[in-house]
Amino acid sequence: MNMKKITALVLGLSLSSSLFAGCTQSQPATIDQAELERQIKAYLDENMEHYLNQYFFGGNAEAPAGSNPAQSTSSSLQTFQANTLDGSTFTQENIAGKDLTIIHFWALFCTPCIEEMPTLADFSKKLPDNVQLITVCLDGKSDIESAKAVLTQAGFEGITLLDGDGDFQTLCQEILYTPTTVFVDANGAVVAESIIGAPKNFAETYTSSINNALKSMGKAEIHLD
């Protein structure tokens, strides 16, 4: 398949799969389709290599330089309320009780997200009490049963958020790639480089990011078996 055909295919898929989706579905009543296509094409022209690697070739590519959506913002999780998959509520108070909260953004349409979920589930069970790992299913609200099925099959026993307001909504809207993992401290501030894509050396990559975050806060590193 030549690049022109691939570009056309990616453009079509991006229009149908909500490339720029966030945690809410608040869209204007009318959309200028030509302008939307122009913006998407401009985005793909800039990030084509990463997009192809993520959605066609396994999701193990590094994000393009300067395209880290979670790190390029001053967003923090200081005031918000989010809805969990099990029907409860998650707020900044649930973050304040931990030294570090790992927030893993994923989507049902994202094959690499589904494939790495068992590994993520296993890793989360090894974390010490001062570090928690939660997930955010960006399109889970539209298909709750499928989201539950993915997590159950993977063995993930932690908290999964679906949508919310305040700072949580803002952060979700800034996530351009799935999977993306963000690290925040007890105050909700982003404290480490985000992980974008599904890393080949999962445990090594995540442990390194966790320890970098903890060291930046003057906290002890973790050592997992």
Side-chain angles (χ1 to χ4, degrees):
M1 183 181 292
N2 62 38
M3 185 54 66
K4 287 185 178 180
K5 290 183 179 179
I6 291 176
T7 302
L9 177 58
V10 173
L11 179 57
L13 287 174
S14 66
L15 286 168
S16 63
S17 62
S18 301
L19 174 65
F20 301 106
C23 290
T24 63
Q25 300 299 320
S26 57
Q27 299 291 337
T30 59
I31 299 176
D32 186 331
Q33 188 70 15
E35 175 61 18
L36 177 61
E37 291 186 12
R38 185 197 67 76
Q39 292 181 12
I40 292 175
K41 185 178 185 303
Y43 174 84
L44 292 176
D45 286 345
E46 182 179 352
N47 301 291
M48 176 63 73
E49 180 178 356
H50 174 73
Y51 190 81
L52 288 175
N53 272 285
Q54 180 169 343
Y55 291 97
F56 289 86
F57 306 134
N60 293 316
E62 294 293 329
S67 68
N68 188 332
Q71 283 298 109
S72 62
T73 177
S74 59
S75 295
S76 61
L77 292 175
Q78 296 182 340
T79 305
F80 71 94
Q81 180 170 297
N83 301 309
T84 69
L85 189 62
D86 64 5
S88 58
T89 300
F90 188 91
T91 71
Q92 61 273 11
E93 294 181 0
N94 299 102
I95 289 177
K98 302 291 183 179
D99 287 334
L100 185 69
T101 296
I102 307 163
I103 309 174
H104 181 78
F105 294 85
W106 62 286
L108 292 169
F109 69 80
C110 170
T111 300
C113 299
I114 307 301
E115 291 177 343
E116 77 167 354
M117 191 61 71
T119 303
L120 182 141
D122 182 65
F123 182 82
S124 69
K125 295 172 185 176
K126 299 177 182 178
L127 294 172
D129 290 340
N130 65 318
V131 179
Q132 67 177 336
L133 190 156
I134 67 174
T135 83
V136 180
C137 186
L138 293 170
D139 55 356
K141 187 177 180 180
S142 63
D143 194 347
I144 291 177
E145 292 307 313
S146 291
K148 288 182 177 179
V150 168
L151 295 167
T152 298
Q153 184 173 0
F156 183 74
E157 300 174 354
I159 296 170
T160 291
L161 309 182
L162 297 177
D163 63 355
D165 60 19
D167 293 338
F168 177 76
Q169 182 183 42
T170 299
L171 182 58
C172 287
Q173 290 172 338
E174 293 167 348
I175 299 299
L176 296 180
Y177 301 96
T178 55
T180 287
T181 302
V182 178
F183 302 83
V184 300
D185 64 15
N187 296 316
V190 176
V191 290
E193 289 269 344
S194 300
I195 298 174
I196 300 179
K200 294 180 180 179
N201 301 315
F202 186 98
E204 179 181 340
T205 301
Y206 273 73
T207 301
S208 176
S209 293
I210 290 169
N211 284 333
N212 286 338
L214 291 172
K215 284 191 293 185
S216 74
M217 298 182 288
K219 305 291 184 179
E221 297 183 24
I222 66 171
H223 300 280
L224 305 179
D225 296 330

